[in-house]
Each structure stands twice: as C-alpha cells, then as structure tokens.
Amino acid sequence: MTTGESGQREMILQVATRLFAALGYDGTSTRQIAEAAGLNIATINYHVGSKRELYLAVMERAHIAHAAVMEQAVKDLLSAPPDQKIVAVHRLIDDYIDFCVERPEVPALWMHRWLSDASDVTDLEPRYVQPLAQLVIDAIAPQVIADDVDVDYTINSVIWCIHSFVQSGVFDKSGERRAPDDPRVLKRFRTHMHQMVHRTLGLPGSPP
C-alpha cells in the first residue's frame, strides 16, 4: 500500500468512526461515509471493504486505543508498592475518565451497541470488552477487604457511569445540561467517582 493509499484509508476510518459514533452502525450507510470523506463508494470498498468490514476495523482501532490505556493502568497497579495500591486503583479510575473524555467516540460506539446497534455483529463484547474488564477486575479484587463486595458489578457500574457522563453530561439545578468540557463539572464528577468506588469497594482509608 502506498503512502497516499494509506493516508486515504486512515481518513476513511476517521470519518467512519465519527459517523458510527454519532449515528450508530445501523444508522450509517456506506454512501454517507463516502460523501463525508469526499470519495465514491468504490474507493471505500477498495481501501476497507464492505460496511461490516469497515465497522470491524473501526471497533478494532477503538479497542486497541482503549486497551493500551487500561493495560498500562493495570500494570502500574500491579507493580505499585503495597502502601500505594489504593492510590493506584484511583489512578486507574482517573486514567479511564481521561481516556473517555479525550476519546468520546469510543464510549459512543459501545453505547450504541448497548442499544442493540449492529446486533448481527455478535462477537465484539467477548473478544474485546470482557477480557479487558476482567483484567481490571482481577487487578482490583485483591485490594478489597470486605467479603460482601461485588467487584464485577462495581467495575461495570463505573463503566456505565463514565460512558453516560461523557456522552450526556449532567443537569444542573436549573435543568441545563453540563458537559464534561466544563472543568468544574468534570472535577466534580471525578471526585464523585472516586468516592463511589472507594466506598462501594470498601477500600481502606479515605480516597486520595
């Protein structure tokens, strides 16, 4: 593949990611992607293949970026000295919030799937979501000292909360929606997540 072809494929993937994140797989056509990229459908097919193949490429790229952040956070947690383990748990939460805020298209892609988007593509969760979530669960579980804590559901709750916050923000007392690009809103949400995780998991001490 030439440099020009590689650049064109990258542009197609970026456009497709944006549209799939905004409209979902079912709500996006190959023609829409071609028009947004300024190309024809034949060129899309040449570089990436069918709409399904394009979607799979987009989801793989999203997973690779997501996994890189979380695998490093887990590595940092596992290698932290005993007196820094709880701090590392909270740093992992921060890393996930930061990733989702910086790459909102990634949680958007998965949230569409929560609503049965691309329901005929059935293997992405067991291939991407479950192993990565389990990696985090297995790293955090040893830090939990209480016997009645459901670590699996806690981590899933964190994912739901962060994805929803990044996509929808929160309503203030006046009923106005406040988005994560408001530093005060993001700081307040971050503090809430740290408190929720710390208390729900029954971690020792106070949130750092």
Side-chain angles (χ1 to χ4, degrees):
M1 183 179 293
T2 67
T3 301
E5 289 176 334
S6 177
Q8 202 164 52
R9 185 178 190 275
E10 175 63 25
M11 181 186 66
I12 293 168
L13 288 170
Q14 290 180 4
V15 170
T17 298
R18 186 176 74 248
L19 289 175
F20 286 145
L23 306 175
Y25 174 79
D26 296 334
T28 302
S29 68
T30 306
R31 184 173 299 281
Q32 286 175 301
I33 295 170
E35 290 177 352
L39 303 170
N40 56 48
I41 293 178
T43 303
I44 301 292
N45 291 336
Y46 170 77
H47 285 293
V48 188
S50 66
K51 175 184 167 182
R52 181 188 179 94
E53 290 171 316
L54 180 52
Y55 179 69
L56 291 175
V58 164
M59 296 305 290
E60 181 181 31
R61 280 161 53 95
H63 169 70
I64 290 171
H66 182 196
V69 171
M70 299 316 298
E71 287 171 0
Q72 183 61 54
V74 167
K75 181 179 179 180
D76 292 343
L77 170 57
L78 296 178
S79 63
D83 63 342
Q84 292 297 308
K85 292 291 188 183
I86 303 305
V87 172
V89 169
H90 285 279
R91 190 177 300 121
L92 184 151
I93 300 301
D94 274 330
D95 288 344
Y96 191 57
I97 292 173
D98 291 342
F99 172 77
C100 290
V101 169
E102 293 167 7
R103 299 286 302 273
E105 73 278 6
V106 176
L109 290 166
W110 289 110
M111 289 181 74
H112 278 295
R113 292 187 62 80
W114 295 354
L115 300 174
S116 299
D117 184 51
S119 58
D120 58 324
V121 183
T122 59
D123 64 337
L124 296 186
E125 282 74 14
R127 189 194 314 173
Y128 294 147
V129 177
Q130 196 281 331
L132 197 55
Q134 195 62 50
L135 181 71
V136 173
I137 290 166
D138 291 343
I140 289 178
Q143 316 313 320
V144 178
I145 58 177
D147 295 329
D148 59 347
V149 174
D150 193 323
V151 180
D152 295 43
Y153 267 47
T154 300
I155 298 305
N156 276 281
S157 297
V158 169
I159 294 170
W160 299 333
C161 287
I162 294 175
H163 283 207
S164 298
F165 170 73
V166 168
Q167 293 304 306
S168 301
V170 294
F171 289 106
D172 63 16
K173 293 181 179 180
S174 69
E176 184 174 350
R177 190 184 299 275
R178 298 295 182 182
D181 59 1
D182 183 326
R184 293 173 299 177
V185 171
L186 179 58
K187 181 180 179 180
R188 184 175 176 184
F189 174 77
R190 193 185 299 274
T191 299
H192 168 68
M193 291 305 301
H194 284 301
Q195 292 174 343
M196 186 184 81
V197 169
H198 200 93
R199 292 168 182 170
T200 304
L201 291 179
L203 299 177
S206 301

